[in-house]
Amino acid sequence: MNALAHAAAVTGVPHSSYIGLSVLLFAIGLFGVARRRNPLLLLLSVELLLNAANVALIGFSRYWNNSDGQIFALVVMVVAAAEVVIGLGLVVAVFRQRRALDVDEMTELRG
Amino acid sequence: MNTSVLTPFLIVSGAGVLALLLGVLPARRAARMLPTATGIVALVAAIIMSRVQWGGPDETALASNYLSDRFTLLLDSILAVIGIAVLLLAWRESSSADKRGEYAGLILLSVAGMMLVAAAGTTIVLFLGIELFSVSLYILCALETWRSRSLEAGLKYLIVGAVGSGILVYGLALLYGATGTTVLSEMQHALIDGDMLRDPLPIAALTMIVVGLGFKASAVPFHMWTPDVYDGAPTPITAFMATGTKVAAFAAFIRLFSDSLLGMFDDWRLPVAILAAVTVIIGNIAALLQPGMKRMLAYSGVAQAGYLLIGIAAGSVAGVEAVLYYLLAYTAMTMAAFAVVVMREREVLDGDQIGALRGIGRSRPMMGVVLTLAMLSLAGFPPLAGFIGKFMLFGAAVDADLTWLAIVGAVGSMISLGYYLKVVAVAWQSGPPVDDTTYRTPRSVTIVAVVSAAAIVLVALFADPLLTLCSDAAQGLIGTINR
């Protein structure tokens, strides 16, 4: 009985689904980074990149049956939160100064 | 496990928090002086602690998350010296007058993050360190909130940096998927013993890690943010980014590529070599076209990252040794150049243009000599530190059967003469210096300039003991694999 329950838990979601979802999220994130010009949406796309890594980490953690991946995912979540806080702060500061949110209009510095 | 090996890192990160708190003291005088003073004391203490631990055996702490080997200790000292120099450069920065706590605190936290990268024993700590110093730098870039260029630089750096981090962490996640561990030393065995070397998973992981670290080290084609951010950020912070970030990014490169992923050497050797070659060529050519000192130094920094990548591509003890020595030399010469820019920028309008340096060698010979030494060393003139470093890097490449890469590096150095020598020529030009004001340069900036210039000479003069030091540090790293 116990063994059966264990088997059901292990076969819950196939490992390939984790990888598939994570690759999809990563692709959407990269597309967003490349196409969007609004800093808020850029930050959102970056979040997708980081969360794609989280899904992959959790999936691999189940595959290898150790907790390294879950610890890594927790760290990534904290880092993502910190990055967004600073990103939003900067966006607000820029908005106050120029009332426009488009990175293509930020041309005082030209690469 | 021995937690005392953590002291250099703990001192610096603790002092960072303390400096942030001291910055909000009600007493104006105390709030202005104490954060910087705390920072300098803490960084000196960190240097002393890493000196004390130098002789001891390699240790790991926090369940092999933190490695304290000679590599860590050497980089800790370099990073602490960079931190002191940056604090001194920002000492009388007018713009930082009411934000001294944030300035010093974030610089210290950033240095702590870089130290963490150098000491990383797992990919988790590696990522955490990279993010700690990046996030602190995003704020430092945008700290002059009333200046729209500073804000723009901060936001651009944040977005590009976050994309780089996102790609890097995805690569690290895939690496975990390929090996089943985040511990760097175990990864090595998993990648060698397993017959998964030809799998798509490690190859994809490798690609993403190279791209992610390429963003941090500003290697071409991931360098586009560099000139804009260097230009817009407050100049002491630009000096910090040019030196500290470079050291940390290459610490990450060495920890991953010359140590854990050495088993996959054949897979990453050519891509990294090509990355190095492209970076050297594009960086040097773009630097030729820049009218501003800060932008020119930004592109020169891109080119220097290319030279350093040559050492990584060699994948040998000699390569790592050369990278470490060149990082020492690079830090000294870049800091000297930026100290002169910081000084000039406060004296005249548009002080960061190359034209603002006209005649500085005649009106103030000391600054002229500092600038000349920095430029000649960056260009790789013998017998200065930059020459010895490049010689070692190219030599390591030749030994690793990458002669073509050494030739590309040498050609790049020749191109670089075009813009480095132009600065020297402008500095010693006759004619009236650009509106020489009576503004007195703060002594702290002069000290940084002179000490850095002296370091350029001393690093070359004491090349022998320093190289022994570097090879000690490199040997501990690659000791586990016999190549």
Side-chain angles (χ1 to χ4, degrees):
Chain A
M1 191 59 204
N2 225 346
L4 205 68
H6 184 69
V10 170
T11 52
V13 180
H15 297 298
S16 55
S17 309
Y18 283 102
I19 310 304
L21 174 64
S22 121
V23 169
L24 189 67
L25 276 178
F26 192 75
I28 297 173
L30 271 190
F31 181 78
V33 167
R35 291 301 298 273
R36 295 296 179 178
R37 281 289 153 266
N38 185 318
L40 286 176
L41 292 176
L42 282 171
L43 284 177
L44 216 63
S45 309
V46 168
E47 284 301 289
L48 280 182
L49 292 181
L50 292 173
N51 281 320
N54 275 348
V55 173
L57 283 168
I58 301 296
F60 287 132
S61 183
R62 257 198 56 192
Y63 175 76
W64 289 103
N65 211 8
N66 63 24
S67 57
D68 286 20
Q70 298 183 16
I71 297 167
F72 202 156
L74 280 172
V75 171
V76 173
M77 281 153 109
V78 174
V79 163
E83 245 169 22
V84 167
V85 167
I86 290 160
L88 291 179
L90 283 180
V91 169
V92 170
V94 170
F95 182 68
R96 275 198 190 142
Q97 218 175 45
R98 60 173 78 201
R99 307 258 155 222
L101 281 186
D102 188 325
V103 282
D104 281 342
E105 283 172 25
M106 299 185 188
T107 48
E108 265 187 62
L109 299 167
R110 255 283 170 238
Chain B
M1 187 175 115
N2 181 2
T3 16
S4 67
V5 297
L6 288 163
T7 30
F9 168 70
L10 289 180
I11 290 173
V12 176
S13 51
V17 177
L18 188 63
L20 281 174
L21 285 175
L22 290 172
V24 293
L25 280 181
R28 244 183 95 70
R29 235 185 115 68
R32 286 186 63 155
M33 310 292 282
L34 279 179
T36 312
T38 314
I40 291 175
V41 170
L43 289 167
V44 169
I47 295 174
I48 294 172
M49 277 317 291
S50 30
R51 274 305 303 162
V52 168
Q53 290 177 11
W54 179 263
D58 298 352
E59 302 222 35
T60 62
L62 306 180
S64 74
N65 273 298
Y66 188 98
L67 303 178
S68 174
D69 47 18
R70 298 187 172 197
F71 179 76
T72 306
L73 295 176
L74 177 65
L75 287 184
D76 278 359
S77 317
I78 301 178
L79 289 168
V81 171
I82 292 175
I84 293 173
V86 174
L87 285 175
L88 287 176
L89 283 185
W91 179 250
R92 297 294 290 271
E93 181 89 329
S94 53
S95 50
S96 72
D98 57 336
K99 289 189 178 163
R100 194 76 63 190
E102 284 94 325
Y103 235 94
L106 288 169
I107 288 172
L108 287 171
L109 285 179
S110 199
V111 170
M114 292 164 181
M115 287 178 165
L116 208 53
V117 174
T122 60
T123 48
I124 302 177
V125 171
L126 190 86
F127 178 68
L128 196 62
I130 287 181
E131 285 305 294
L132 182 54
F133 83 71
S134 300
V135 167
S136 313
L137 276 174
Y138 303 150
I139 313 176
L140 282 170
C141 281
L143 212 51
E144 299 184 348
T145 37
W146 61 93
R147 213 160 50 87
S148 66
R149 288 159 66 97
S150 173
L151 277 180
E152 194 179 320
L155 193 60
K156 270 187 181 168
Y157 191 27
L158 173 94
I159 289 170
V160 177
V163 172
S165 306
I167 296 175
L168 174 69
V169 75
Y170 201 73
L172 294 178
L174 293 182
L175 196 60
Y176 167 64
T179 58
T181 176
T182 54
V183 182
L184 294 177
S185 52
E186 289 172 17
M187 207 167 270
Q188 200 177 53
H189 303 302
L191 283 172
I192 291 169
D193 299 339
D195 47 359
M196 51 179 73
L197 284 188
R198 299 290 142 208
D199 263 11
L201 205 54
I203 302 293
L206 206 59
T207 316
M208 294 204 169
I209 291 170
V210 171
V211 172
L213 288 180
F215 270 110
K216 300 289 171 200
S218 59
V220 176
F222 317 109
H223 69 291
M224 297 310 286
W225 59 274
T226 317
D228 281 4
V229 174
Y230 278 30
D231 196 4
T235 311
I237 302 305
T238 310
F240 186 40
M241 281 194 286
T243 51
T245 313
K246 207 74 89 189
V247 172
F250 278 92
F253 256 115
I254 291 171
R255 279 275 180 222
L256 279 169
F257 286 84
S258 300
D259 205 10
S260 311
L261 301 180
L262 205 52
M264 297 174 70
F265 183 57
D266 295 330
D267 291 316
W268 58 256
R269 164 199 175 111
L270 193 62
V272 172
I274 292 171
L275 193 69
V278 174
T279 306
V280 166
I281 297 295
I282 305 270
N284 276 319
I285 291 175
L288 277 177
L289 311 170
Q290 303 303 323
M293 260 313 257
K294 277 165 92 177
R295 293 183 79 89
M296 189 275 268
L297 284 171
Y299 275 112
S300 120
V302 171
Q304 306 285 339
Y307 300 137
L308 287 161
L309 276 172
I310 293 178
I312 303 284
S316 56
V317 177
V320 175
E321 181 190 335
V323 169
L324 288 173
Y325 180 82
Y326 198 71
L327 280 175
L328 273 173
Y330 171 80
T331 303
M333 49 212 194
T334 307
M335 203 54 91
F338 272 110
V340 176
V341 178
V342 167
M343 185 196 76
R344 212 53 197 150
E345 209 176 33
R346 290 183 204 171
E347 290 171 353
V348 292
L349 207 63
D350 288 331
D352 65 335
Q353 299 300 303
I354 292 175
L357 296 167
R358 178 149 42 86
I360 195 175
R362 285 164 190 264
S363 59
R364 262 172 302 181
M366 194 158 71
M367 284 299 142
V369 169
V370 169
L371 192 65
T372 309
L373 275 176
M375 290 298 139
L376 291 184
S377 181
L378 278 166
F381 262 83
L384 293 170
F387 169 75
I388 300 175
K390 271 183 194 156
F391 190 78
M392 304 288 301
L393 283 170
F394 300 163
V398 170
D399 286 342
D401 281 338
L402 286 169
T403 313
W404 64 272
L405 192 55
I407 294 171
V408 169
V411 171
S413 306
M414 265 185 263
I415 300 174
S416 74
L417 288 178
Y419 54 92
Y420 290 132
L421 288 186
K422 187 168 84 184
V423 175
V424 175
V426 168
W428 295 99
Q429 229 170 41
S430 56
V434 186
D435 53 1
D436 214 355
T437 53
T438 48
Y439 180 90
R440 266 195 58 226
T441 315
R443 199 166 294 140
S444 61
V445 177
T446 318
I447 290 173
V448 173
V450 172
V451 171
S452 310
I456 297 173
V457 178
L458 289 179
V459 167
L461 217 55
F462 294 99
D464 239 20
L466 282 173
L467 279 169
T468 320
L469 218 67
C470 294
S471 86
D472 268 3
Q475 232 121 37
L477 268 179
I478 313 193
T480 33
I481 290 191
N482 291 320
R483 286 189 51 82

